[in-house]
Amino acid sequence: MFTLQVQKASKRFHREWIFKNLDLELSAGNALAITGGNGSGKSTLLKCLSGAIPLTQGSIEYREVTGKLAEESWFRSLAIATPYLELPEEFTLSEVLAFHFQFKRPLNQLSNPEILAILGLEKHQSKSISQFSSGMKQRVKLALAIFSEVPLLFLDEPTTNLDKQGVSWYLDLIQKYAQDRILVICSNEPREYEFCEKKIAMEDFK
């Protein structure tokens, strides 16, 4: 079983502690909501958990049945969708899917046409990403993460720029495709994480 273990995790920028002494253990099937006001450190914690930036103190471990994973191989076990990650604007939607799934196996061996159908963007597959609305781009980001065959999903503000129909689409994807994985959601919107059985507030780790 895949697990994520965090012990006494602390992060400081200059003299300011963003969070301190955070302990956490998650395994397959767990869904965690990380909540907190703007600037509370949610995205910073997510970046630390993904290995994008280092902790100041403490430890993060990814573990499989065979043992602890080396930090340089964490990226193979995770997929992430955040507002600050950009899509290649010059690519068409079909090219984005083809490029992404050179590096990640598609979940349930879904084909790119099947993913396009779930996205509801078949008519736009030959259009460049630069022509997409912000809501369409958000759908693509979520699909790339959720349809990657990985044990760990990180989603930061997942319904950003989605309309009511898009929010329902997101919740349906989570219900159908994220149940047997570790899911970590950073959010201030209860609709994005109300299904999470575990919740932490960043204000508790100052």
Side-chain angles (χ1 to χ4, degrees), residues 32-34 42-43 46 155-158 184-188 192:
L32 169 71
I34 301 173
K42 300 187 301 296
S43 296
L46 199 68
L155 306 179
D156 193 352
E157 299 180 1
V184 178
I185 299 173
C186 291
S187 175
N188 283 325
E192 297 180 340

Side-chain angles (χ1 to χ4, degrees), residues 3-202:
T3 61
L4 170 61
Q5 298 176 342
V6 181
Q7 293 186 325
K8 303 297 182 185
S10 304
K11 181 63 181 178
R12 182 178 63 195
F13 286 128
H14 304 295
R15 295 184 178 180
E16 179 185 1
W17 287 99
I18 309 303
F19 55 86
K20 293 179 71 176
N21 296 323
L22 190 151
D23 293 322
L24 188 62
E25 184 165 350
L26 300 170
S27 57
N30 288 161
L32 169 71
I34 301 173
T35 66
N38 293 338
S40 62
K42 300 187 301 296
S43 296
T44 299
L45 174 56
L46 199 68
K47 290 175 182 177
C48 291
L49 293 177
S50 69
I53 59 176
L55 291 173
T56 304
Q57 296 175 2
S59 65
I60 299 171
E61 292 186 357
Y62 286 27
R63 287 190 170 273
E64 293 181 323
V65 175
T66 53
K68 178 182 173 182
L69 298 182
E71 188 170 348
E72 59 268 21
S73 67
W74 287 3
F75 71 94
R76 296 189 181 95
S77 299
L78 66 89
I80 188 167
T82 76
Y84 47 82
L85 289 181
E86 297 295 334
L87 297 168
E89 297 270 316
E90 69 276 14
F91 282 23
T92 66
L93 176 55
S94 290
E95 288 171 340
V96 167
L97 292 176
F99 180 75
H100 178 81
F101 289 110
Q102 288 180 30
F103 302 97
K104 300 286 189 186
R105 287 194 301 270
L107 187 69
N108 299 337
Q109 298 183 329
L110 288 168
S111 66
N112 286 356
E114 288 172 321
I115 293 173
L116 279 169
I118 297 170
L119 267 168
L121 296 176
E122 305 100 308
K123 295 180 181 178
H124 304 280
Q125 61 183 298
S126 298
K127 186 182 294 185
S128 68
I129 297 298
S130 62
Q131 297 177 276
F132 279 27
S133 69
S134 56
M136 292 165 70
K137 289 178 181 178
Q138 184 63 14
R139 281 185 177 241
V140 175
K141 289 181 183 182
L142 289 170
L144 292 176
I146 292 170
F147 292 125
S148 296
E149 190 178 276
V150 291
L152 180 54
L153 287 176
F154 291 130
L155 306 179
D156 193 352
E157 299 180 1
T159 64
T160 297
N161 298 317
L162 295 184
D163 57 17
K164 185 176 180 180
Q165 183 182 17
V167 172
S168 296
W169 174 84
Y170 154 75
L171 292 172
D172 187 57
L173 283 193
I174 295 296
Q175 183 178 14
K176 289 181 178 177
Y177 299 106
Q179 296 301 309
D180 298 324
R181 300 190 268 179
I182 295 174
L183 177 62
V184 178
I185 299 173
C186 291
S187 175
N188 283 325
E189 291 283 349
R191 67 184 184 184
E192 297 180 340
Y193 63 81
E194 57 191 358
F195 49 82
C196 292
E197 77 279 4
K198 296 176 179 284
K199 299 179 179 68
I200 61 172
M202 292 304 299

